[in-house]
Amino acid sequence: MIYAFCVALLRMIYAILFPLKIVGSENVPKEGGVLLCANHISLLDPMTIGIKLKRQVRYMAKAELFNVPVLGWLIKQLGAFPVKRGGVSKESIKTSLNTLRSGHMMGIFPEGTRNSDSGSAKKGAASFALRSGAAVVPAAIIGSYKPFRRMTVVYGAPIDLSAFEGAGSDSLEAVTDVIMGRIHEMISTGKPSSR
């Protein structure tokens, strides 16, 4: 299987360039729809949050990346699907919701672009979480992708969003704050968050 080959190759590359320490992987449900929400510091983040997990992580990626030699092929094999510049299309929203409702895992970066400002998060992750009913697992990528320096990925317990069920779009900002709060807590402590 091409996916298994790509993951094995990436694990070898990471073992040399960015040795990964994984914390809390037991918090990622073994089945069912999962929305994996992480901070965004590099173009490498989608691979970083997924290559050590037993389940495949699918994710949205900028359409332009699919035109980059080697990278475009690689991210497609790793389960990415394109999103056009200037916003998320109805088609990509539908694909995302179908992915989650079909019991797959999808990675998303609530900050949208690479950013360390906790106040910059968008509401897309919250919308997917509430509309799909998928488990929402926060993930923190800690490190700087400097060659031969250890990187850490921390996975927190699924976030209980039951208080927001049926609340509608008015609750998206609050849900976004909850998700980003868990992520930033884990960045600060290096430990998995609790429910």
Side-chain angles (χ1 to χ4, degrees):
M1 184 179 188
I2 296 178
Y3 175 76
F5 171 77
C6 290
V7 168
L9 180 62
L10 284 171
R11 285 179 178 176
M12 288 190 290
I13 293 170
Y14 267 68
I16 297 168
L17 288 180
F18 315 115
L20 284 178
K21 176 183 177 183
I22 303 299
V23 181
S25 59
E26 69 278 3
N27 287 317
V28 179
K30 293 180 173 61
E31 56 186 27
V34 174
L35 186 63
L36 191 59
C37 300
N39 57 313
H40 199 8
I41 58 176
S42 167
L43 287 174
L44 298 174
D45 293 341
M47 292 175 276
T48 302
I49 65 171
I51 62 170
K52 290 284 193 167
L53 296 177
K54 293 180 180 178
R55 297 181 63 184
Q56 181 177 5
V57 181
R58 301 171 190 274
Y59 53 94
M60 290 185 273
K62 291 179 181 178
E64 309 90 79
L65 295 178
F66 289 83
N67 298 323
V68 177
V70 182
L71 178 63
W73 176 84
L74 181 61
I75 62 175
K76 186 175 182 181
Q77 301 310 313
L78 291 173
F81 53 94
V83 177
K84 294 179 181 176
R85 182 184 291 275
V88 180
S89 67
K90 287 183 180 180
E91 183 178 336
S92 58
I93 291 172
K94 184 177 179 181
T95 300
S96 299
L97 291 173
N98 285 341
T99 295
L100 294 167
R101 290 170 179 162
S102 299
H104 298 289
M105 180 157 50
M106 189 177 100
I108 191 168
F109 304 95
E111 293 164 311
T113 56
R114 296 183 304 283
N115 198 322
S116 59
D117 178 6
S118 62
S120 66
K122 299 180 180 179
K123 300 174 186 175
S127 178
F128 289 144
L130 295 179
R131 292 174 65 184
S132 70
V136 179
V137 175
I141 303 168
I142 304 169
S144 59
Y145 288 104
K146 291 182 179 176
F148 316 116
R149 299 278 183 88
R150 181 174 294 281
M151 299 283 295
T152 300
V153 181
V154 183
Y155 301 95
I159 301 172
D160 182 2
L161 297 177
S162 59
F164 299 99
E165 288 178 8
S169 59
D170 294 341
S171 63
L172 293 181
E173 188 169 340
V175 172
T176 301
D177 289 343
V178 170
I179 294 171
M180 292 309 302
R182 291 289 178 85
I183 293 170
H184 287 285
E185 173 191 331
M186 295 191 303
I187 292 171
S188 298
T189 65
K191 298 177 181 178
S193 63
S194 57
R195 287 184 181 273

